[in-house]
Amino acid sequence: MIDRYSDLMRTIEMEIGTYSLQTFMLDALRDTVNAYEGNSMENFCEQMNAIINIVTSTQPKFSSIIDCYFTFRDHALHVQEKHPGCFCEQKQYLLEGLAAIQSKSEEDYLKLLHQTKHLNFNGKNILIHDHSTSVQDTLWTLKKNGQHFRVIVAEQDSEKTLNIIETLTRRSIPFHTVPAYMISNIEDDIDVCLFGCLTLKNTYDFVVDTGTTAIVTQCHMRKIPIYVVLTTSKFALWDATTKDVNQVKHTRKHPWKDITFERLKFSHDRIPLTDVDWVLTEKGIHSHDELRSLYDSHFKKRKLQEQSMKEEESK
Amino acid sequence: MEPHHTFSIVPPIVFGLTFVGIIFEKYEKSLLALLSAAVLIVAGYVTPEEAIEAINFETIILLMSMMMLVEIAKQSGIFSWLNVRLVASTKGNPLAIYLVFSLLTAVLSAFLDNVTTILIVIPITIELFRGLGQNPKKIILAEIFMSNIGGTLTLIGDPPNIIIGGATGFSFNAFIENLWIPVLISITLILSITVMQNWKDVKPIKHNCTKLLLSMMLLRRLRYRFVRMDLSTAFIVKVLSIMSLTILGFMLNSFHHVPAHIVALLGSTLLALLCTQNICIHKVLQTVEWTTLLFFAGLFVLVAGVEHTGILTNISLFIVNSTNNFALILLLVLWVSGIVSMILDNIPFVTVMIPVIVGIQGNLAGQPHLDLLWWALALGTCIGGNGTMIGASANVIGVDLANKEGVHISFLSYTKTALPLTLLALSISSAYILIRYFST
């Protein structure tokens, strides 16, 4: 089951980006609550625990989803305690809780976009690479705020690049594309890089789209300012034990010669926080040192939560 | 060149060699049929004029028009819309997905060509079933059965019916009126049996949140992908209107007396004209399976060559003389068609059987139930195609699609599941034909 969830979440994340995946997973959870025909809240909470066990074990882990699902599980426990009665009535409270979680996440996201007022990208060429809703919306907000800039899209998987092109065209943002491996030829034209990410790990590495590391490293060496956009719900608040990168091995055949070879593909890249100049969150624009402190405070808070949960369970 | 209209073994040998070539699939079957037809013309067994006359253009025009109609409909996105709507209606319940998509396949196959139906339905069901952690093999097989059985229902559902319709002039409604009972019973029984056999995989999941959530994620993903498609309501409305009018045109044949192939031609050309802005007509025409149409043309000439030798009349006489029991002849036609269609391409078989049945009718003139021979032939060839993996194009395409998605269906495993169900459906058809014979 964990593998199936991992595969599906990874595919969806690649198709629509991490932020949209979070909304998607909350919508799917709402559909599940609606369709579930259990007879007691106790039963539902047990099943919710099973779901949390799965989402906290997927490869990679999606911190924002884990965050929302934990919050919902707490809400379910609260409903069980405060609103005894039949499950069909309690369902309504569950749905209200889900709606509140969704609103909170949207609110955080809007706050994140609001931070763009501190950015001045007027007249600049902005390099983007990943298919991130946050990056697209950041650009859209900058444009709505009257800033004029041009986007350089570093091409990656054709479907993702086409998605980016569709969005930029729909929003009338001027752009041109360049194959990602040819970036070195236009380094002088790039004024700033803007990236989204899947998560920030406790090793202070961002998990990003494949191919992003090469571009970030290149820009970092050239001292081109690098910005990463993420909400704090994307902080991975657990000890990193695995690489959070999925590797797939394909056997390929040469199209016209009798040669078979192995081809490795990876789901994500990692970039160290220190390679990034500025990070936008709903709380502000942070240097990497500031973000490290912010991450640590969230991490400590989660550890305390987990500790108290364990204590409750042992009681 | 004077045609040889006396008995000769050359045309049957040419036909036999063509058949063997078709079975081994080494060369494109349309080329084999055309080459053999050309050989018979050059050798003087069929004159060029007779060859042209032998080609049943009603069948070819009907097939071509339906292919155009279906392709334009596909481009409008209406089938994706239908899939997404139906998936949403199942609320992620595997049993509902199983039943809805099996029935959808049966219904679509009655009006579209079976291979198109399989191409529309199988990818989405593989994705849903595999996503839910179930092996999609069983539903793929169920959909293949439904496609062949559903296609039996109408004049345009399956090529053998198109050929029978072209040869007999039976109306669209005549097919439905005479075949709906065995088709409906076969669908109901086969679905019930396969559901019982696969209960472990399709049982409801409404009490299991982890499975339910996974299912909802899959449904939302499909919906998301559908929303991203750039659909034009005007295009879809045009497609729906013209397709409905075309089907209505088939049904009202007894009032307007316009042949089915002309109705289909009117529908497809009108739709192509109305949708000029939405489609590229050259691309639509490219998707028409010209090789299939040429195969039909070659086959008609080839069978005409064999027919001229008198061998098919002799077969008819042999059948009629071997028994005076008409019920037995009906069963013979049904079961021989069924068994042959399990192994061989049913299109050449039906093409050969047309003159045989006409011959039997000629020899048994006065017998009140002669039409039943055609229905026995239609039921036998269409349903028999289910028996093995190579029995019908839908089977081959369905299994290929499954293999591409990593679901391996071997010849033996297919036959193990399909053969008993095909024999059951043929038995139901036999019972129906006998009841019709004895009750009137």
PDB file of all heavy atoms in Angstrom, chain B residues 124-156:
ATOM      1  N   ILE B 124      -7.969   3.420 -19.169  1.00  0.00           N
ATOM      2  CA  ILE B 124      -8.467   4.051 -17.936  1.00  0.00           C
ATOM      3  C   ILE B 124      -8.752   2.985 -16.868  1.00  0.00           C
ATOM      4  O   ILE B 124      -8.474   3.195 -15.683  1.00  0.00           O
ATOM      5  CB  ILE B 124      -9.715   4.930 -18.226  1.00  0.00           C
ATOM      6  CG1 ILE B 124      -9.946   5.890 -17.078  1.00  0.00           C
ATOM      7  CG2 ILE B 124     -10.951   4.147 -18.458  1.00  0.00           C
ATOM      8  CD1 ILE B 124     -10.961   6.953 -17.371  1.00  0.00           C
ATOM      9  N   THR B 125      -9.248   1.823 -17.273  1.00  0.00           N
ATOM     10  CA  THR B 125      -9.542   0.804 -16.259  1.00  0.00           C
ATOM     11  C   THR B 125      -8.249   0.186 -15.717  1.00  0.00           C
ATOM     12  O   THR B 125      -8.177  -0.131 -14.530  1.00  0.00           O
ATOM     13  CB  THR B 125     -10.472  -0.302 -16.804  1.00  0.00           C
ATOM     14  OG1 THR B 125     -10.107  -0.587 -18.133  1.00  0.00           O
ATOM     15  CG2 THR B 125     -11.899   0.089 -16.763  1.00  0.00           C
ATOM     16  N   ILE B 126      -7.241   0.062 -16.586  1.00  0.00           N
ATOM     17  CA  ILE B 126      -5.960  -0.455 -16.091  1.00  0.00           C
ATOM     18  C   ILE B 126      -5.437   0.507 -15.031  1.00  0.00           C
ATOM     19  O   ILE B 126      -5.017   0.111 -13.946  1.00  0.00           O
ATOM     20  CB  ILE B 126      -4.925  -0.589 -17.236  1.00  0.00           C
ATOM     21  CG1 ILE B 126      -5.304  -1.727 -18.186  1.00  0.00           C
ATOM     22  CG2 ILE B 126      -3.517  -0.845 -16.666  1.00  0.00           C
ATOM     23  CD1 ILE B 126      -4.325  -1.972 -19.314  1.00  0.00           C
ATOM     24  N   GLU B 127      -5.498   1.793 -15.344  1.00  0.00           N
ATOM     25  CA  GLU B 127      -4.980   2.806 -14.418  1.00  0.00           C
ATOM     26  C   GLU B 127      -5.729   2.754 -13.083  1.00  0.00           C
ATOM     27  O   GLU B 127      -5.115   2.773 -12.012  1.00  0.00           O
ATOM     28  CB  GLU B 127      -5.142   4.182 -15.060  1.00  0.00           C
ATOM     29  CG  GLU B 127      -4.420   5.262 -14.311  1.00  0.00           C
ATOM     30  CD  GLU B 127      -4.505   6.593 -15.016  1.00  0.00           C
ATOM     31  OE1 GLU B 127      -4.708   6.610 -16.245  1.00  0.00           O
ATOM     32  OE2 GLU B 127      -4.372   7.609 -14.320  1.00  0.00           O
ATOM     33  N   LEU B 128      -7.058   2.660 -13.157  1.00  0.00           N
ATOM     34  CA  LEU B 128      -7.853   2.650 -11.926  1.00  0.00           C
ATOM     35  C   LEU B 128      -7.604   1.382 -11.114  1.00  0.00           C
ATOM     36  O   LEU B 128      -7.359   1.450  -9.910  1.00  0.00           O
ATOM     37  CB  LEU B 128      -9.341   2.736 -12.263  1.00  0.00           C
ATOM     38  CG  LEU B 128      -9.853   4.113 -12.655  1.00  0.00           C
ATOM     39  CD1 LEU B 128     -11.267   4.033 -13.179  1.00  0.00           C
ATOM     40  CD2 LEU B 128      -9.811   5.044 -11.451  1.00  0.00           C
ATOM     41  N   PHE B 129      -7.665   0.238 -11.777  1.00  0.00           N
ATOM     42  CA  PHE B 129      -7.515  -1.009 -11.042  1.00  0.00           C
ATOM     43  C   PHE B 129      -6.109  -1.180 -10.491  1.00  0.00           C
ATOM     44  O   PHE B 129      -5.934  -1.619  -9.366  1.00  0.00           O
ATOM     45  CB  PHE B 129      -7.932  -2.209 -11.917  1.00  0.00           C
ATOM     46  CG  PHE B 129      -9.311  -2.652 -11.602  1.00  0.00           C
ATOM     47  CD1 PHE B 129     -10.378  -1.830 -11.900  1.00  0.00           C
ATOM     48  CD2 PHE B 129      -9.563  -3.845 -10.971  1.00  0.00           C
ATOM     49  CE1 PHE B 129     -11.665  -2.196 -11.570  1.00  0.00           C
ATOM     50  CE2 PHE B 129     -10.848  -4.226 -10.629  1.00  0.00           C
ATOM     51  CZ  PHE B 129     -11.903  -3.403 -10.938  1.00  0.00           C
ATOM     52  N   ARG B 130      -5.132  -0.818 -11.329  1.00  0.00           N
ATOM     53  CA  ARG B 130      -3.762  -0.968 -10.830  1.00  0.00           C
ATOM     54  C   ARG B 130      -3.521   0.009  -9.689  1.00  0.00           C
ATOM     55  O   ARG B 130      -2.894  -0.320  -8.691  1.00  0.00           O
ATOM     56  CB  ARG B 130      -2.775  -0.714 -11.951  1.00  0.00           C
ATOM     57  CG  ARG B 130      -1.393  -0.814 -11.392  1.00  0.00           C
ATOM     58  CD  ARG B 130      -0.330  -0.790 -12.391  1.00  0.00           C
ATOM     59  NE  ARG B 130      -0.237  -1.990 -13.153  1.00  0.00           N
ATOM     60  CZ  ARG B 130       0.237  -2.011 -14.395  1.00  0.00           C
ATOM     61  NH1 ARG B 130       0.578  -0.906 -14.973  1.00  0.00           N
ATOM     62  NH2 ARG B 130       0.372  -3.137 -15.028  1.00  0.00           N
ATOM     63  N   GLY B 131      -4.048   1.219  -9.827  1.00  0.00           N
ATOM     64  CA  GLY B 131      -3.909   2.229  -8.781  1.00  0.00           C
ATOM     65  C   GLY B 131      -4.491   1.744  -7.467  1.00  0.00           C
ATOM     66  O   GLY B 131      -3.999   2.059  -6.395  1.00  0.00           O
ATOM     67  N   LEU B 132      -5.571   0.960  -7.573  1.00  0.00           N
ATOM     68  CA  LEU B 132      -6.209   0.447  -6.355  1.00  0.00           C
ATOM     69  C   LEU B 132      -5.488  -0.790  -5.820  1.00  0.00           C
ATOM     70  O   LEU B 132      -5.900  -1.382  -4.830  1.00  0.00           O
ATOM     71  CB  LEU B 132      -7.667   0.082  -6.649  1.00  0.00           C
ATOM     72  CG  LEU B 132      -8.617   1.264  -6.818  1.00  0.00           C
ATOM     73  CD1 LEU B 132      -9.957   0.792  -7.331  1.00  0.00           C
ATOM     74  CD2 LEU B 132      -8.794   1.998  -5.504  1.00  0.00           C
ATOM     75  N   GLY B 133      -4.434  -1.179  -6.537  1.00  0.00           N
ATOM     76  CA  GLY B 133      -3.649  -2.322  -6.071  1.00  0.00           C
ATOM     77  C   GLY B 133      -4.222  -3.649  -6.529  1.00  0.00           C
ATOM     78  O   GLY B 133      -3.834  -4.695  -6.019  1.00  0.00           O
ATOM     79  N   GLN B 134      -5.179  -3.619  -7.454  1.00  0.00           N
ATOM     80  CA  GLN B 134      -5.760  -4.871  -7.947  1.00  0.00           C
ATOM     81  C   GLN B 134      -5.102  -5.224  -9.277  1.00  0.00           C
ATOM     82  O   GLN B 134      -4.646  -4.338  -9.996  1.00  0.00           O
ATOM     83  CB  GLN B 134      -7.274  -4.722  -8.197  1.00  0.00           C
ATOM     84  CG  GLN B 134      -8.009  -3.897  -7.192  1.00  0.00           C
ATOM     85  CD  GLN B 134      -8.251  -4.644  -5.905  1.00  0.00           C
ATOM     86  OE1 GLN B 134      -7.608  -5.652  -5.653  1.00  0.00           O
ATOM     87  NE2 GLN B 134      -9.132  -4.139  -5.079  1.00  0.00           N
ATOM     88  N   ASN B 135      -5.125  -6.504  -9.594  1.00  0.00           N
ATOM     89  CA  ASN B 135      -4.619  -6.923 -10.893  1.00  0.00           C
ATOM     90  C   ASN B 135      -5.698  -6.611 -11.947  1.00  0.00           C
ATOM     91  O   ASN B 135      -6.810  -7.122 -11.852  1.00  0.00           O
ATOM     92  CB  ASN B 135      -4.325  -8.428 -10.857  1.00  0.00           C
ATOM     93  CG  ASN B 135      -3.660  -8.880 -12.116  1.00  0.00           C
ATOM     94  OD1 ASN B 135      -3.631  -8.167 -13.117  1.00  0.00           O
ATOM     95  ND2 ASN B 135      -3.115 -10.081 -12.088  1.00  0.00           N
ATOM     96  N   PRO B 136      -5.384  -5.768 -12.921  1.00  0.00           N
ATOM     97  CA  PRO B 136      -6.431  -5.377 -13.876  1.00  0.00           C
ATOM     98  C   PRO B 136      -6.780  -6.446 -14.914  1.00  0.00           C
ATOM     99  O   PRO B 136      -7.660  -6.256 -15.724  1.00  0.00           O
ATOM    100  CB  PRO B 136      -5.833  -4.151 -14.572  1.00  0.00           C
ATOM    101  CG  PRO B 136      -4.405  -4.137 -14.269  1.00  0.00           C
ATOM    102  CD  PRO B 136      -4.105  -5.105 -13.194  1.00  0.00           C
ATOM    103  N   LYS B 137      -6.087  -7.589 -14.850  1.00  0.00           N
ATOM    104  CA  LYS B 137      -6.270  -8.624 -15.875  1.00  0.00           C
ATOM    105  C   LYS B 137      -7.742  -9.034 -16.024  1.00  0.00           C
ATOM    106  O   LYS B 137      -8.257  -9.134 -17.128  1.00  0.00           O
ATOM    107  CB  LYS B 137      -5.420  -9.838 -15.472  1.00  0.00           C
ATOM    108  CG  LYS B 137      -5.385 -10.931 -16.488  1.00  0.00           C
ATOM    109  CD  LYS B 137      -4.377 -11.968 -16.039  1.00  0.00           C
ATOM    110  CE  LYS B 137      -4.762 -13.328 -16.569  1.00  0.00           C
ATOM    111  NZ  LYS B 137      -3.845 -14.357 -16.089  1.00  0.00           N
ATOM    112  N   LYS B 138      -8.398  -9.236 -14.878  1.00  0.00           N
ATOM    113  CA  LYS B 138      -9.771  -9.741 -14.928  1.00  0.00           C
ATOM    114  C   LYS B 138     -10.709  -8.744 -15.604  1.00  0.00           C
ATOM    115  O   LYS B 138     -11.560  -9.123 -16.397  1.00  0.00           O
ATOM    116  CB  LYS B 138     -10.294 -10.023 -13.509  1.00  0.00           C
ATOM    117  CG  LYS B 138      -9.419 -10.931 -12.712  1.00  0.00           C
ATOM    118  CD  LYS B 138      -9.557 -12.372 -13.133  1.00  0.00           C
ATOM    119  CE  LYS B 138      -8.625 -13.220 -12.273  1.00  0.00           C
ATOM    120  NZ  LYS B 138      -8.633 -14.599 -12.601  1.00  0.00           N
ATOM    121  N   ILE B 139     -10.534  -7.474 -15.270  1.00  0.00           N
ATOM    122  CA  ILE B 139     -11.448  -6.483 -15.875  1.00  0.00           C
ATOM    123  C   ILE B 139     -11.118  -6.309 -17.362  1.00  0.00           C
ATOM    124  O   ILE B 139     -12.014  -6.085 -18.175  1.00  0.00           O
ATOM    125  CB  ILE B 139     -11.474  -5.141 -15.114  1.00  0.00           C
ATOM    126  CG1 ILE B 139     -12.608  -4.282 -15.684  1.00  0.00           C
ATOM    127  CG2 ILE B 139     -10.171  -4.406 -15.146  1.00  0.00           C
ATOM    128  CD1 ILE B 139     -13.056  -3.151 -14.871  1.00  0.00           C
ATOM    129  N   ILE B 140      -9.849  -6.455 -17.723  1.00  0.00           N
ATOM    130  CA  ILE B 140      -9.490  -6.354 -19.145  1.00  0.00           C
ATOM    131  C   ILE B 140     -10.201  -7.471 -19.914  1.00  0.00           C
ATOM    132  O   ILE B 140     -10.807  -7.234 -20.963  1.00  0.00           O
ATOM    133  CB  ILE B 140      -7.958  -6.458 -19.343  1.00  0.00           C
ATOM    134  CG1 ILE B 140      -7.271  -5.252 -18.723  1.00  0.00           C
ATOM    135  CG2 ILE B 140      -7.596  -6.572 -20.820  1.00  0.00           C
ATOM    136  CD1 ILE B 140      -5.760  -5.377 -18.649  1.00  0.00           C
ATOM    137  N   LEU B 141     -10.151  -8.669 -19.348  1.00  0.00           N
ATOM    138  CA  LEU B 141     -10.809  -9.798 -20.011  1.00  0.00           C
ATOM    139  C   LEU B 141     -12.317  -9.558 -20.094  1.00  0.00           C
ATOM    140  O   LEU B 141     -12.925  -9.759 -21.143  1.00  0.00           O
ATOM    141  CB  LEU B 141     -10.521 -11.105 -19.259  1.00  0.00           C
ATOM    142  CG  LEU B 141      -9.068 -11.590 -19.311  1.00  0.00           C
ATOM    143  CD1 LEU B 141      -8.897 -12.900 -18.569  1.00  0.00           C
ATOM    144  CD2 LEU B 141      -8.610 -11.779 -20.749  1.00  0.00           C
ATOM    145  N   ALA B 142     -12.895  -9.071 -18.993  1.00  0.00           N
ATOM    146  CA  ALA B 142     -14.349  -8.818 -18.991  1.00  0.00           C
ATOM    147  C   ALA B 142     -14.687  -7.790 -20.073  1.00  0.00           C
ATOM    148  O   ALA B 142     -15.674  -7.944 -20.796  1.00  0.00           O
ATOM    149  CB  ALA B 142     -14.785  -8.315 -17.626  1.00  0.00           C
ATOM    150  N   GLU B 143     -13.847  -6.768 -20.207  1.00  0.00           N
ATOM    151  CA  GLU B 143     -14.131  -5.732 -21.208  1.00  0.00           C
ATOM    152  C   GLU B 143     -14.007  -6.280 -22.634  1.00  0.00           C
ATOM    153  O   GLU B 143     -14.784  -5.903 -23.509  1.00  0.00           O
ATOM    154  CB  GLU B 143     -13.198  -4.538 -20.995  1.00  0.00           C
ATOM    155  CG  GLU B 143     -13.669  -3.696 -19.822  1.00  0.00           C
ATOM    156  CD  GLU B 143     -12.678  -2.631 -19.387  1.00  0.00           C
ATOM    157  OE1 GLU B 143     -11.541  -2.620 -19.909  1.00  0.00           O
ATOM    158  OE2 GLU B 143     -13.033  -1.825 -18.525  1.00  0.00           O
ATOM    159  N   ILE B 144     -13.039  -7.166 -22.828  1.00  0.00           N
ATOM    160  CA  ILE B 144     -12.904  -7.770 -24.167  1.00  0.00           C
ATOM    161  C   ILE B 144     -14.161  -8.599 -24.497  1.00  0.00           C
ATOM    162  O   ILE B 144     -14.724  -8.488 -25.583  1.00  0.00           O
ATOM    163  CB  ILE B 144     -11.621  -8.632 -24.248  1.00  0.00           C
ATOM    164  CG1 ILE B 144     -10.383  -7.733 -24.196  1.00  0.00           C
ATOM    165  CG2 ILE B 144     -11.602  -9.465 -25.526  1.00  0.00           C
ATOM    166  CD1 ILE B 144      -9.054  -8.477 -24.108  1.00  0.00           C
ATOM    167  N   PHE B 145     -14.622  -9.396 -23.497  1.00  0.00           N
ATOM    168  CA  PHE B 145     -15.836 -10.198 -23.743  1.00  0.00           C
ATOM    169  C   PHE B 145     -17.013  -9.277 -24.068  1.00  0.00           C
ATOM    170  O   PHE B 145     -17.766  -9.507 -24.998  1.00  0.00           O
ATOM    171  CB  PHE B 145     -16.250 -11.025 -22.505  1.00  0.00           C
ATOM    172  CG  PHE B 145     -15.199 -11.967 -22.007  1.00  0.00           C
ATOM    173  CD1 PHE B 145     -15.168 -12.352 -20.666  1.00  0.00           C
ATOM    174  CD2 PHE B 145     -14.242 -12.486 -22.864  1.00  0.00           C
ATOM    175  CE1 PHE B 145     -14.197 -13.216 -20.198  1.00  0.00           C
ATOM    176  CE2 PHE B 145     -13.270 -13.353 -22.402  1.00  0.00           C
ATOM    177  CZ  PHE B 145     -13.241 -13.709 -21.060  1.00  0.00           C
ATOM    178  N   MET B 146     -17.138  -8.214 -23.249  1.00  0.00           N
ATOM    179  CA  MET B 146     -18.276  -7.310 -23.417  1.00  0.00           C
ATOM    180  C   MET B 146     -18.226  -6.629 -24.787  1.00  0.00           C
ATOM    181  O   MET B 146     -19.251  -6.384 -25.404  1.00  0.00           O
ATOM    182  CB  MET B 146     -18.284  -6.249 -22.314  1.00  0.00           C
ATOM    183  CG  MET B 146     -18.621  -6.783 -20.945  1.00  0.00           C
ATOM    184  SD  MET B 146     -20.214  -7.599 -20.935  1.00  0.00           S
ATOM    185  CE  MET B 146     -19.776  -9.219 -20.421  1.00  0.00           C
ATOM    186  N   SER B 147     -17.014  -6.330 -25.217  1.00  0.00           N
ATOM    187  CA  SER B 147     -16.880  -5.646 -26.501  1.00  0.00           C
ATOM    188  C   SER B 147     -17.372  -6.548 -27.632  1.00  0.00           C
ATOM    189  O   SER B 147     -18.106  -6.113 -28.520  1.00  0.00           O
ATOM    190  CB  SER B 147     -15.422  -5.237 -26.668  1.00  0.00           C
ATOM    191  OG  SER B 147     -14.998  -5.407 -27.966  1.00  0.00           O
ATOM    192  N   ASN B 148     -16.996  -7.839 -27.597  1.00  0.00           N
ATOM    193  CA  ASN B 148     -17.428  -8.751 -28.663  1.00  0.00           C
ATOM    194  C   ASN B 148     -18.925  -9.055 -28.568  1.00  0.00           C
ATOM    195  O   ASN B 148     -19.614  -9.120 -29.582  1.00  0.00           O
ATOM    196  CB  ASN B 148     -16.626 -10.050 -28.617  1.00  0.00           C
ATOM    197  CG  ASN B 148     -15.193  -9.833 -29.081  1.00  0.00           C
ATOM    198  OD1 ASN B 148     -14.955  -9.103 -30.045  1.00  0.00           O
ATOM    199  ND2 ASN B 148     -14.237 -10.426 -28.405  1.00  0.00           N
ATOM    200  N   ILE B 149     -19.413  -9.209 -27.325  1.00  0.00           N
ATOM    201  CA  ILE B 149     -20.837  -9.531 -27.180  1.00  0.00           C
ATOM    202  C   ILE B 149     -21.700  -8.299 -27.494  1.00  0.00           C
ATOM    203  O   ILE B 149     -22.699  -8.392 -28.200  1.00  0.00           O
ATOM    204  CB  ILE B 149     -21.146 -10.081 -25.763  1.00  0.00           C
ATOM    205  CG1 ILE B 149     -20.355 -11.374 -25.547  1.00  0.00           C
ATOM    206  CG2 ILE B 149     -22.628 -10.344 -25.590  1.00  0.00           C
ATOM    207  CD1 ILE B 149     -20.474 -11.967 -24.168  1.00  0.00           C
ATOM    208  N   GLY B 150     -21.272  -7.139 -26.987  1.00  0.00           N
ATOM    209  CA  GLY B 150     -22.011  -5.901 -27.266  1.00  0.00           C
ATOM    210  C   GLY B 150     -22.048  -5.620 -28.762  1.00  0.00           C
ATOM    211  O   GLY B 150     -23.074  -5.203 -29.314  1.00  0.00           O
ATOM    212  N   GLY B 151     -20.925  -5.886 -29.438  1.00  0.00           N
ATOM    213  CA  GLY B 151     -20.845  -5.647 -30.882  1.00  0.00           C
ATOM    214  C   GLY B 151     -21.801  -6.523 -31.670  1.00  0.00           C
ATOM    215  O   GLY B 151     -22.177  -6.185 -32.799  1.00  0.00           O
ATOM    216  N   THR B 152     -22.233  -7.634 -31.059  1.00  0.00           N
ATOM    217  CA  THR B 152     -23.148  -8.554 -31.751  1.00  0.00           C
ATOM    218  C   THR B 152     -24.529  -7.928 -31.931  1.00  0.00           C
ATOM    219  O   THR B 152     -25.281  -8.317 -32.819  1.00  0.00           O
ATOM    220  CB  THR B 152     -23.296  -9.854 -30.894  1.00  0.00           C
ATOM    221  OG1 THR B 152     -22.001 -10.264 -30.491  1.00  0.00           O
ATOM    222  CG2 THR B 152     -23.964 -10.968 -31.654  1.00  0.00           C
ATOM    223  N   LEU B 153     -24.838  -6.946 -31.084  1.00  0.00           N
ATOM    224  CA  LEU B 153     -26.208  -6.440 -31.015  1.00  0.00           C
ATOM    225  C   LEU B 153     -26.681  -5.702 -32.270  1.00  0.00           C
ATOM    226  O   LEU B 153     -27.851  -5.769 -32.625  1.00  0.00           O
ATOM    227  CB  LEU B 153     -26.333  -5.519 -29.780  1.00  0.00           C
ATOM    228  CG  LEU B 153     -27.713  -4.960 -29.505  1.00  0.00           C
ATOM    229  CD1 LEU B 153     -28.674  -6.075 -29.098  1.00  0.00           C
ATOM    230  CD2 LEU B 153     -27.648  -3.902 -28.410  1.00  0.00           C
ATOM    231  N   THR B 154     -25.784  -4.966 -32.919  1.00  0.00           N
ATOM    232  CA  THR B 154     -26.272  -4.089 -33.997  1.00  0.00           C
ATOM    233  C   THR B 154     -25.588  -4.372 -35.335  1.00  0.00           C
ATOM    234  O   THR B 154     -24.547  -5.021 -35.394  1.00  0.00           O
ATOM    235  CB  THR B 154     -26.018  -2.607 -33.651  1.00  0.00           C
ATOM    236  OG1 THR B 154     -24.613  -2.397 -33.630  1.00  0.00           O
ATOM    237  CG2 THR B 154     -26.633  -2.197 -32.345  1.00  0.00           C
ATOM    238  N   LEU B 155     -26.192  -3.784 -36.335  1.00  0.00           N
ATOM    239  CA  LEU B 155     -25.664  -3.894 -37.697  1.00  0.00           C
ATOM    240  C   LEU B 155     -24.242  -3.346 -37.794  1.00  0.00           C
ATOM    241  O   LEU B 155     -23.405  -3.878 -38.525  1.00  0.00           O
ATOM    242  CB  LEU B 155     -26.599  -3.097 -38.632  1.00  0.00           C
ATOM    243  CG  LEU B 155     -26.126  -2.767 -40.039  1.00  0.00           C
ATOM    244  CD1 LEU B 155     -26.058  -4.020 -40.885  1.00  0.00           C
ATOM    245  CD2 LEU B 155     -27.054  -1.774 -40.700  1.00  0.00           C
ATOM    246  N   ILE B 156     -23.969  -2.269 -37.017  1.00  0.00           N
ATOM    247  CA  ILE B 156     -22.663  -1.615 -37.134  1.00  0.00           C
ATOM    248  C   ILE B 156     -21.705  -2.026 -36.026  1.00  0.00           C
ATOM    249  O   ILE B 156     -20.596  -1.514 -35.932  1.00  0.00           O
ATOM    250  CB  ILE B 156     -22.823  -0.064 -37.111  1.00  0.00           C
ATOM    251  CG1 ILE B 156     -23.601   0.366 -35.876  1.00  0.00           C
ATOM    252  CG2 ILE B 156     -23.464   0.423 -38.387  1.00  0.00           C
ATOM    253  CD1 ILE B 156     -23.568   1.846 -35.621  1.00  0.00           C
TER     254      ILE B 156
END
